Amino acid sequence: MAIRTIVKHPDPILREKAKPVTKFTPNLHKLLDDMAETMYDADGVGLAAPQVSILKRVIVMDCGEGLIEMVNPEIIASEGEQFDYPEGCLSIPGLRGDVRRYQWVKLRAQDRHGQPFEMEAEELLARCAQHEIDHLDGILFLDRAERVYPISKDEEGE
Ligand code: GNR
Ligand code: NI
């Protein structure tokens, strides 16, 4: 496994639309392994492939309940509203934003072998999934935030 470089805003790659994965090869498995290692190394709760310069529809997340890998993820149902949560992004260091997100989402994706599965998510995991899927479409929290502000002194170095 290897830690990959996380690209930073305003790198134009973050604005491109990622392509669906069609081949479930060792190359994809290596990407997923590297993305997990990169996410944990950076203390993030999620990471999308475009953040490591790969324009494929691949995300990883861990909001405290273990690693979740999703290939070609889609939101197939959503409910409720959640807002004013300080959202951050590993590609936008130093800034936070208040973003309105769905409180609950149902996701459909494929695993690393191409096997389809569905999953429900709420709270932080729902927020994270929406944030990561946005990355696959070239959307950043800056585009959706009602308010963007610098990270507070207390949080720095945490
Ligand atoms: O680490 C991250 N924390 C986070 C907090 C609130 C909402 C979304 C996130 S995702 C972010 C990691 C990241 O940039 N993923 O793309
Ligand atoms: Ni992000």
Side-chain angles (χ1 to χ4, degrees), residues 43-48 51 85-91 124 127-128 131-132 135:
D43 282 324
V45 296
L47 193 70
Q51 292 181 278
Y85 185 95
E87 189 160 326
C89 182
L90 294 172
S91 295
L124 181 59
R127 175 171 291 275
C128 187
H131 175 113
E132 301 316 334
H135 273 302

Side-chain angles (χ1 to χ4, degrees), residues 63-98:
C63 292
E65 286 170 30
L67 180 65
I68 299 168
E69 300 178 341
M70 294 188 132
V71 179
N72 301 326
E74 282 177 86
I75 295 170
I76 55 170
S78 56
E79 229 172 67
E81 267 194 314
Q82 203 190 8
F83 43 97
D84 283 6
Y85 185 95
E87 189 160 326
C89 182
L90 294 172
S91 295
I92 311 171
L95 292 181
R96 291 275 185 271
D98 294 337

Side-chain angles (χ1 to χ4, degrees), residues 12-70:
I13 203 157
L14 293 171
R15 294 312 197 167
E16 289 188 38
K17 199 168 156 67
K19 295 206 164 55
V21 171
T22 55
K23 291 179 197 152
F24 296 79
T25 56
N27 200 36
L28 173 69
H29 300 168
K30 167 102 171 81
L31 173 64
L32 282 160
D33 292 344
D34 288 356
M35 283 174 63
E37 193 177 0
T38 304
M39 173 183 74
Y40 289 124
D41 177 70
D43 282 324
V45 296
L47 193 70
Q51 292 181 278
V52 291
S53 307
I54 304 290
L55 288 169
K56 297 266 180 64
R57 303 191 77 83
V58 176
I59 66 173
V60 294
M61 301 185 287
D62 189 340
C63 292
E65 286 170 30
L67 180 65
I68 299 168
E69 300 178 341
M70 294 188 132

Side-chain angles (χ1 to χ4, degrees), residues 109-120:
Q110 286 164 279
D111 71 12
R112 61 165 59 205
H113 305 293
Q115 183 70 35
F117 68 98
E118 291 183 359
M119 197 186 88
E120 292 177 26

Side-chain angles (χ1 to χ4, degrees), residues 99-134:
V99 184
R100 199 171 304 186
R101 300 284 191 188
Y102 296 114
Q103 149 79 21
W104 174 92
V105 292
K106 187 167 181 180
L107 302 158
R108 179 181 294 151
Q110 286 164 279
D111 71 12
R112 61 165 59 205
H113 305 293
Q115 183 70 35
F117 68 98
E118 291 183 359
M119 197 186 88
E120 292 177 26
E122 55 184 0
E123 306 285 344
L124 181 59
L125 186 57
R127 175 171 291 275
C128 187
Q130 290 166 82
H131 175 113
E132 301 316 334
I133 292 172
D134 270 354

